[in-house]
Amino acid sequence: MKKYKLFVACDSESTSKVKRIISNTQSSKLKIGYKFGLQFLNSKNGRKFVSKLKNQITFGDYKFSDIPNTCSSAIKAVSDLKFNYLTIHISAGLDALKAAKKEIGKTKLIGVTILTSLDNKALKEIGFNKDVKKLVLHQAKLANKAKLDAIVCSAQEVKIVRSIFKKEIITPGIRLNSKSYDQKRVLNPKQAYKNGSDWLVMGRDITKGNIKKNVQKLIDHLNQ
Ligand code: C5P
């Protein structure tokens, strides 16, 4: 049977917590990668920890968003970490995406569409006139133009993105529990895979509390 693919978000500034996350999420039932974001990568020992990590699928969630030269320079600056995946905001613009792609080498470049913590009301607040679904579709077209390797969007938009984007689709905003915290566009794991997500990203529902039990809860949910 095909294994479900999951990136566990290692959102902490503590290397011992991240070690605990990695050792407690080992499972033969899932294909697991580890996502390191702004909190860990900016922590005192986070970068060093990632530089020494071996035999894992790694995802550097920097969400770069800057002028083309700065984006490509930043990608060069982290190339020693040899991430399998790395993120850039699609809203950085086509030239920045192209510059990043040119620099990235073997690492897969993921374009981040509208954050899963934003809904239509929040988008209006920051000055966007299109609704979320239209914007995400628009950004997926840009990702195609820039030849990006993957897209991050909400699991609610996978079908729309899939209609025009044929490479990997990665979805955060996954909720196994009823608490959605700061996320707005959420879906449960089963629905997300059913919609066609290649990878889910899960943080707090896995890493808060008893990690092993949370992983088992996810596996049970997927087998239901
Ligand atoms: O704890 P939770 O499952 O909400 O964590 C989701 C993770 O995915 C966080 O690390 C967050 O930074 C990241 N992410 C996201 N929405 C995006 C892109 C990344 O939630 N659009």
Side-chain angles (χ1 to χ4, degrees), residues 116 153-159 171-172 174 185 187 192 195 197:
T116 45
C153 62
S154 147
Q156 298 180 6
E157 292 118 33
V158 172
K159 286 183 184 167
T171 58
I174 302 299
R185 302 188 336 271
L187 219 52
N195 283 357
S197 297

Side-chain angles (χ1 to χ4, degrees), residues 9-11 35-38 59 61 63 87 89 112-117 152-154 170-175 180-183 185 201-207:
C10 299
D11 291 332
K35 184 179 89 66
F36 303 99
L38 295 176
F59 176 157
D61 194 9
K63 293 196 184 72
T87 49
H89 273 291
V112 177
T113 61
I114 304 296
L115 294 171
T116 45
S117 55
V152 161
C153 62
S154 147
I170 302 168
T171 58
I174 302 299
R175 284 296 172 263
S180 62
Y181 301 101
D182 49 356
Q183 298 282 19
R185 302 188 336 271
V201 174
M202 291 180 74
R204 287 162 286 188
D205 277 3
I206 296 287
T207 58

Side-chain angles (χ1 to χ4, degrees), residues 36-214:
F36 303 99
L38 295 176
Q39 186 179 4
F40 191 63
L41 293 168
N42 285 307
S43 68
K44 198 157 185 282
N45 299 311
R47 192 190 202 283
K48 200 166 163 199
F49 178 90
V50 174
S51 74
K52 290 186 173 157
L53 196 62
K54 297 245 155 54
N55 304 319
Q56 302 289 355
I57 302 170
T58 59
F59 176 157
D61 194 9
Y62 288 95
K63 293 196 184 72
F64 291 129
S65 181
D66 214 311
I67 61 171
N69 182 58
T70 304
C71 283
S72 65
S73 305
I75 284 172
K76 199 172 181 184
V78 299
S79 61
D80 60 301
L81 296 176
K82 296 187 170 52
F83 284 110
N84 298 103
Y85 294 81
L86 201 145
T87 49
I88 183 167
H89 273 291
I90 293 179
S91 59
L94 189 56
D95 287 347
L97 300 178
K98 283 183 177 167
K101 181 67 188 165
K102 206 170 164 191
E103 185 62 51
I104 200 132
K106 282 183 188 158
T107 300
K108 287 185 176 174
L109 185 60
I110 310 171
V112 177
T113 61
I114 304 296
L115 294 171
T116 45
S117 55
L118 300 174
D119 57 12
N120 280 326
K121 185 173 166 264
L123 283 179
K124 229 177 180 174
E125 248 163 29
I126 53 175
F128 288 105
N129 293 322
K130 280 188 182 159
D131 75 13
V132 172
K133 290 196 163 61
K134 284 198 183 122
L135 268 175
V136 171
L137 179 65
H138 190 92
Q139 293 190 329
K141 288 178 187 164
L142 218 55
N144 266 337
K145 265 195 190 155
K147 300 189 168 55
L148 302 191
D149 305 291
I151 277 184
V152 161
C153 62
S154 147
Q156 298 180 6
E157 292 118 33
V158 172
K159 286 183 184 167
I160 297 172
V161 170
R162 182 61 76 209
S163 68
I164 61 131
F165 188 81
K166 304 300 170 199
K167 293 187 251 178
E168 286 172 276
I169 300 180
I170 302 168
T171 58
I174 302 299
R175 284 296 172 263
L176 200 46
N177 302 317
S178 53
K179 207 169 174 188
S180 62
Y181 301 101
D182 49 356
Q183 298 282 19
K184 293 278 166 47
R185 302 188 336 271
V186 299
L187 219 52
N188 74 38
K190 221 173 170 174
Q191 288 169 317
Y193 286 124
K194 201 170 159 230
N195 283 357
S197 297
D198 295 297
W199 288 88
L200 307 193
V201 174
M202 291 180 74
R204 287 162 286 188
D205 277 3
I206 296 287
T207 58
K208 268 185 174 262
N210 187 320
I211 300 173
K212 278 190 178 163
K213 272 194 186 156
N214 294 338

